[in-house]
Amino acid sequence: MVAQVSTKVLPDQARVVIVGGGIIGCSIAYHLAKLGWRDIVLLERQQLTSGTTWHAAGLLTTLRDTETQTRLAKYTQELYRKLEADTGQATGLIGCGSIQLAMTADKAEEMRRGVNMATSFGVEAHEVSPAEVKSMWPLADVGDLVAAFYFPNDARANPTDVTQALAKGARRGGTRIFEHTKVIGITTDRGRVTGVQTDVGAIRAEFVVNCAGMWARAVGQMAGVNVPLQAAEHYYLISEPVAGVHSMLPILRDPGNSAYVREEAGKIMVGLFEPVAAPWGTNGIPDDFSFGDIPPDWDRMYPHIEKSMKRVPCLLQTGIKLLFCGPESFTPDHNYLMGEAPNVRNFFVAAGFNSLGILSGGGVGHVMADWIVNGRPQMDVWSVNLRRMHRWQNNDRYLLNRTQETLGIGYQDHWPFRQWATARGVKQSVLHDRVAAAGACFGESAGWERPNWYGKPGNTPAYSYSWGRQNWFQNNAQEHAAVRERVGVFEQSSFAKLLVQGRDAVTVLNRVATANIDVAVGRCIYTQFLNTRGGIEADLTITRLAPDRFLVVTAAFTHTHVDAWIHDNVPDDAFCVVTDVTDGYAMLNVQGPSSRALLQSLSNDDFSASGFPFATCREVRIGYQTLFALRLTYVGELGWELYVPTSFALPVYDAIVEAGVTYGLHHCGYHTLNSLRIEKAYRDWSHDIGPDDSPLEAGLAFTCAWNKPGGFIGRDALMAQRDTESPKRRLVQLMLEDPRPLLYHNEPIYREGARIGFVTSAMYGHTLGAAVALGYLSNPEGVTDEFVTGGRYEIAIADRRVPARASLVPMYDPKSVRVRQ
């Protein structure tokens, strides 16, 4: 055991204070020390690992749901393999590999697609037969398996030993660790963290990092920062000794039985991820909880135990030495919470690891340390970025209800378009009941209930999931055709709407936006916000409503992020105010070749091509109501976004629907918005473009006003990239030559038989007649126009490759004639 700091005399100040001495806090301290930072203090309320780290199972399985989390897990494995040599502290790492089991054809399809994704991210994986599983795990019952998948480089480690090794490395780099030191307050000044208060004194600090695990929500609240997570009961059992088991048996991940199985010192450990979990610590985590467990609920867990034991039948005749119940914290979307708080500068969070903290700990420490030192993450971390969360998600009841589902979600089928079942109905637009009556099947985004598709009269609009054409496929085809041929209406009130105003508003926005937004009143500009590397942090529109007033509109799930990005870039001496007006306006999006005739029939205002040009905004009247109309499209057709004051929304909607009968109006959902936009090759932020993608790579350089006064954030990096002979990576549109298969995302792209990229987003293109995708092609020698058009392409779908063709211009209406008619 590493020697502990004996004194309780705290320093008056430190550059960084880390709160929490589990695997995450120690990893961040270790990596900060590796980057040369010396003035670091780590505070642990009890002892290192005493919260949840000490009882973790220590699985190091690499394939995760996203590229980001897979990369974090892969780095973690690599770090743990060399950590003992670096620190002299053993980690208990065993390179046993893992096997994921599929009991159904659907799970086999999911896993084959997952293995394809894994290879794109550099993870070795192979499909193996049930007989091969039996040879590697002789005690396992393989009679119910359809397929299995072997990850030879996966491993397991001792969580306590790994944490002590990281702590030892951190101390060697100058980190001071104080155990039995409780943080009781966070100090801030003018939106920036200034230090911590403990039960034995205060420390001033430039940075504070909240790694408090189950207590992270409470620590966040000390700083006024929302860290939405909730602890839940989490179980594993350990059998009596079993003959024939040994440490090199691969970890068995058994989703069909919601369990994993591994060897444990000559015994068998079975970890349980029951579909309906039990939240714990609902009135707060006890202050004195240390190396603690929870009395197991045998009655609730017995059916899950019995089911999981069937994978290794000898367990049914073997005694249970221990049924352990220890709490773990879970987040509302089963992704981590990492990064700088949106409302307090230099206050960072790394918590909510959903029982995946050990397998991600090394990568998280690496990324977080770099983020703190350099002011930005070194990779796209949006899927785990704290700024994706929203203030309302810190609601107690919401967290309790959602956590019942999130604990087990990793061991369930990850269907395309799968919707959360719990904690629904958080936000409903004023038009909710109207579109429900029209047959809406709702999905959830950022708490909003939004129409994803519309059922036919007499049918219940509900999902029937599969990897093939789901039950709403034909509904989507009809909605899609209505927009292309007639007119459709989309209810999109969930879009975030920020009013940016003040005498310096134009200067502030012109600095963060790639486009020149110093335009005439009434002009709407499509633009991006970039980071200093030239990566895309936001993709949105800005409309000038007055000389000193602008409307910024962005997707609902980016609401917190975009709001914080603007605030972060308002100079202290600037007069610029950002006001969230999202709830003040409903938004109806009317799109299609008959949209002009429909709207003109309802208004005396001029909707003609000359009277209402593309990318302009007008105040218009429909019936007795007055609203903003923006002539824009995200589907590639003539259309308008209508921003309607909430009090006017119902009569405006009713008028449009009533008049729409004459023009063949069809209600359309978000799935149709997606299929239409992909046909037109319109990009979607967080899928096709993100913090690691530049406008040059994404085909969005046209948004860049290279010579506008003052430039824009990221311009220098883009200029350097622009001056190279040709980009090494470019986003292209692809379409399958076979009209039957479906694409979703992350499918590998092959050119002339060599893997060259992967799909970022895809839907079925009903107008084009096949699945259509966007994806990046990478080539060290450059991705020229000739390179793209001169190749033979295939896209891997599960266990097959399907020919495809690639294009740098939209396959639908490449010259945008229909948009500007």
Side-chain angles (χ1 to χ4, degrees), residues 18 37 136 209 324 403 452 488 511 572 624 739 743:
I18 298 170
W37 281 31
M136 289 187 276
V209 190
F324 180 85
T403 298
N452 276 349
R511 177 64 181 156
D572 291 340
Y624 300 139
L743 297 170

Side-chain angles (χ1 to χ4, degrees), residues 400-718:
L400 292 178
N401 291 341
R402 177 57 63 86
T403 298
Q404 295 177 50
E405 184 177 8
T406 53
L407 181 144
I409 199 72
Y411 278 73
Q412 296 178 21
D413 286 308
H414 300 150
W415 301 111
F417 310 104
R418 184 193 180 280
Q419 302 297 317
W420 291 101
T422 56
R424 293 290 298 270
V426 176
K427 293 186 177 185
Q428 296 180 358
S429 85
V430 68
L431 298 170
H432 180 88
D433 290 348
R434 291 288 205 276
V435 295
C441 181
F442 292 98
E444 181 257 332
S445 178
W448 287 93
E449 294 294 319
R450 312 192 310 178
N452 276 349
W453 56 278
Y454 286 83
K456 297 178 181 178
N459 294 336
T460 301
Y463 282 91
S464 179
Y465 296 122
S466 79
W467 284 94
R469 298 184 176 187
Q470 295 186 11
N471 61 317
W472 49 268
F473 184 86
Q474 288 303 322
N475 305 64
N476 172 222
Q478 293 170 10
E479 294 174 24
H480 188 108
V483 176
R484 290 282 185 246
E485 298 166 9
R486 300 179 304 280
V487 60
V489 60
F490 300 83
E491 200 284 303
Q492 294 184 258
S493 301
S494 63
F495 268 57
K497 311 162 196 81
L498 304 174
L499 199 62
V500 183
Q501 51 192 336
R503 65 170 179 263
D504 297 316
V506 65
T507 304
V508 169
L509 289 176
N510 237 0
R511 177 64 181 156
V512 297
T514 55
N516 188 350
I517 58 93
D518 192 4
V519 294
V521 171
R523 280 288 311 280
C524 179
I525 302 296
Y526 168 59
T527 188
Q528 284 82 45
F529 294 169
L530 306 184
N531 54 43
T532 55
R533 293 177 291 136
I536 301 170
E537 291 287 347
D539 181 74
L540 40 73
T541 62
I542 301 176
T543 300
R544 193 166 202 172
L545 302 178
D548 61 350
R549 188 166 70 253
F550 296 82
L551 180 67
V552 176
V553 177
T554 187
F557 73 96
T558 66
H559 191 154
T560 302
H561 177 58
V562 170
D563 189 17
W565 192 270
I566 297 172
H567 275 99
D568 286 350
N569 287 285
V570 177
D572 291 340
D573 59 350
F575 188 79
C576 178
V577 178
V578 183
T579 307
D580 182 4
V581 296
T582 301
D583 295 335
Y585 292 88
M587 199 268 266
L588 290 167
N589 195 356
V590 182
Q591 297 285 325
S594 298
S595 59
R596 174 178 286 128
L598 169 57
L599 293 175
Q600 193 65 80
S601 73
L602 294 168
S603 178
N604 291 327
D605 294 292
D606 187 359
F607 282 84
S608 68
S610 59
F612 208 141
F614 181 73
T616 58
C617 173
R618 299 281 189 275
E619 190 175 75
V620 300
R621 292 154 295 173
I622 291 179
Y624 300 139
Q625 288 74 38
T626 302
L627 54 130
F628 288 113
L630 274 66
R631 187 177 163 192
L632 293 173
T633 184
Y634 192 49
V635 302
E637 300 293 339
L638 173 71
W640 280 263
E641 295 177 356
L642 306 179
Y643 292 86
V644 190
T646 301
S647 55
F648 291 164
L650 292 174
V652 169
Y653 168 86
D654 291 342
I656 290 171
V657 171
E658 181 180 357
V661 174
T662 302
Y663 301 94
L665 179 72
H666 204 299
H667 281 82
C668 301
Y670 275 82
H671 291 339
T672 295
L673 190 77
N674 204 32
S675 63
L676 291 162
R677 71 95 184 166
I678 290 176
E679 273 196 335
K680 191 64 176 72
Y682 287 151
R683 283 65 167 143
D684 185 36
W685 193 83
S686 87
H687 290 100
D688 311 309
I689 51 178
D692 283 350
D693 311 309
S694 79
L696 295 168
E697 296 168 330
L700 297 173
F702 67 89
T703 71
C704 298
W706 300 102
N707 299 316
K708 68 176 176 178
F712 53 86
I713 296 170
R715 177 182 176 275
D716 292 345
L718 278 194

